[in-house]
Amino acid sequence: MTSKGDLTKARLAQSMLELIQASGYSGTGLNAVIEHASAPKGSVYFHFPDGKEELGVAAVALAAKQFEAMIIQAAQSAGGAGEAAKLAIQALAAIISDSGFRLGCPVSVVTLEMGDSSERLRQACATAFESWIAPTAALLEADGVDRAQAKSLATVIVSTIEGAAILSRAMKNTQPLLAAADAVGELIGLRRQGEGTQS
C-alpha cells in the first residue's frame, strides 16, 4: 500500500517534471513546485534533502520511465520496429501539440541548461537517454537488425526525435516530428534490407 508520504514525493517529482517542461529547470523554483503539487511547506526538503538538484534528478528519472513506457506500448501494438518508432513519435507529437507547444522533452532541457554545471543532473540525463536507446535497440534486434548496428541505429533514432521535438516547439508545428517519424521508419526499413542482403 502506498503511503501518504510516498504519494507526496511522487506528486513533487511529477510537478517538477511538468514545470521543467513548461519553464525550464532554471525557471522552476521550489515554491512553485510546492504550490503546483499542493504539497505541505517543507515537504521538498523532507523527501529531497539535497533540494532542487535531487528533485530535478527525480523528475528526469520520471520522464525517462514515461517515455520508455511509450516506446514499449508502441512496440506492443506495432507490426515491427519501423511502425513502432513511428507510433511513438506520433504520440510524442500529439502530446506537444495538445500542450500548445508549451511542453517538450524535459531531459533535453535539463541537459542543455545544467549539463556543464551539475554532474549529478548530467548523469541523470545520460541515464535517461540510455533508457530510451536500450529498448529501441532491443526492438530493432528482434526485428532482424544486427546487435551492434541496432545500438548505433537506436542512438540515431533517439537523437533524431530529440532534435525534431525542439524544432516542433520552436516552429509551433508538428511537421518536424511527423517528418522524423517517416524518415526513421524508412531508415529502419533500409537497415533491415541491408542486413537481409548481407545474410
Side-chain angles (χ1 to χ4, degrees):
M1 183 176 177
T2 305
S3 69
K4 184 177 179 181
D6 288 338
L7 290 173
T8 299
K9 186 175 183 178
R11 282 206 318 276
L12 288 167
Q14 181 64 43
S15 290
M16 182 67 172
L17 171 58
E18 292 178 14
L19 290 172
I20 288 173
Q21 286 179 294
S23 304
Y25 180 86
S26 299
T28 298
L30 292 181
N31 287 335
V33 175
I34 292 169
E35 181 179 353
H36 188 277
S38 299
K41 287 188 176 181
S43 58
V44 169
Y45 285 102
F46 178 79
H47 293 290
F48 302 96
D50 292 338
K52 183 178 178 179
E53 184 182 50
E54 185 178 1
L55 184 53
V57 168
V60 168
L62 180 59
K65 289 181 181 178
Q66 290 177 352
F67 193 68
E68 183 181 1
M70 188 187 300
I71 296 171
I72 293 171
Q73 183 178 3
Q76 290 172 343
S77 59
E83 184 182 349
K86 291 179 73 171
L87 287 174
I89 298 171
Q90 288 166 358
L92 178 60
I95 291 171
I96 293 175
S97 177
D98 290 347
S99 74
F101 298 92
R102 289 176 54 254
L103 303 183
C105 175
V107 180
S108 62
V109 169
V110 175
T111 300
L112 292 170
E113 287 189 27
M114 304 301 298
D116 286 340
S117 56
S118 170
E119 176 60 20
R120 190 175 183 182
L121 286 168
R122 184 206 64 77
Q123 184 57 55
C125 292
T127 299
F129 287 129
E130 183 57 39
S131 76
W132 303 339
I133 291 169
T136 303
L139 181 60
L140 290 165
E141 191 176 345
D143 211 29
V145 178
D146 175 76
R147 176 173 293 183
Q149 293 295 322
K151 177 67 181 291
S152 176
L153 182 55
T155 302
V156 170
I157 290 170
V158 171
S159 301
T160 299
I161 295 170
E162 286 297 310
I166 292 171
L167 283 174
S168 286
R169 287 191 72 195
M171 297 176 178
K172 290 195 171 183
N173 192 314
T174 58
Q175 192 277 329
L177 271 167
L178 298 180
D182 289 338
V184 165
E186 291 176 8
L187 180 60
I188 292 172
L190 289 171
R191 188 58 60 92
R192 287 185 63 204
Q193 289 176 16
E195 292 291 335
T197 301
Q198 290 174 15
S199 61

